[in-house]
Amino acid sequence: TGINMAEIVLYSKNNCHLCDEMKIVLTNLQREYRFKLTEFDIESDNELFAKYREKIPVLTINGKLFAKYRIDEKKLIKKLESSSVRNI
């Protein structure tokens, strides 16, 4: 039996207060929910920088856009509850 675990990708860059805020929310939620979190610094990849330059932070879940700029924590929790396993 496989365990469903959401794959979350955060596109961010240094010196971005909205990115830092989103990271804090995600880190706090990892205490209660299991999900794989990958972070990409858009400044280290020309293609990502061109795509997301002024749109960060961008959050995708299982390859689909979930949030830009700010995150709705209640909406994210609802999504995680439907696609991951709770840490108990």
Side-chain angles (χ1 to χ4, degrees):
T1 58
I3 295 175
N4 290 335
M5 188 181 313
E7 290 194 30
I8 296 180
V9 176
L10 174 63
Y11 297 93
S12 65
K13 69 176 185 175
N14 290 325
N15 301 315
C16 167
H17 73 278
L18 291 177
C19 301
D20 293 339
E21 288 175 15
M22 198 174 282
K23 278 188 254 187
I24 289 168
V25 169
L26 292 167
T27 300
N28 289 338
L29 287 175
Q30 274 191 312
R31 294 182 185 132
E32 190 170 346
Y33 298 94
R34 289 172 57 190
F35 55 88
K36 180 182 176 191
L37 177 60
T38 305
E39 183 177 356
F40 289 105
D41 178 351
I42 66 164
E43 292 178 315
S44 66
D45 183 306
N46 290 337
E47 194 174 312
L48 289 177
F49 186 76
K51 184 174 182 179
Y52 296 117
R53 178 187 327 239
E54 301 297 327
K55 299 176 184 172
I56 58 164
V58 172
L59 188 74
T60 64
I61 299 178
N62 298 330
K64 294 182 180 174
L65 178 65
F66 184 79
K68 278 195 284 191
Y69 310 117
R70 297 196 180 274
I71 194 165
D72 180 334
E73 191 170 347
K74 289 180 182 175
K75 188 176 169 187
L76 177 57
I77 288 169
K78 191 172 185 178
K79 179 73 174 173
L80 288 173
E81 286 177 342
S82 70
S83 63
S84 65
V85 177
R86 253 183 124 130
N87 287 331
I88 298 178

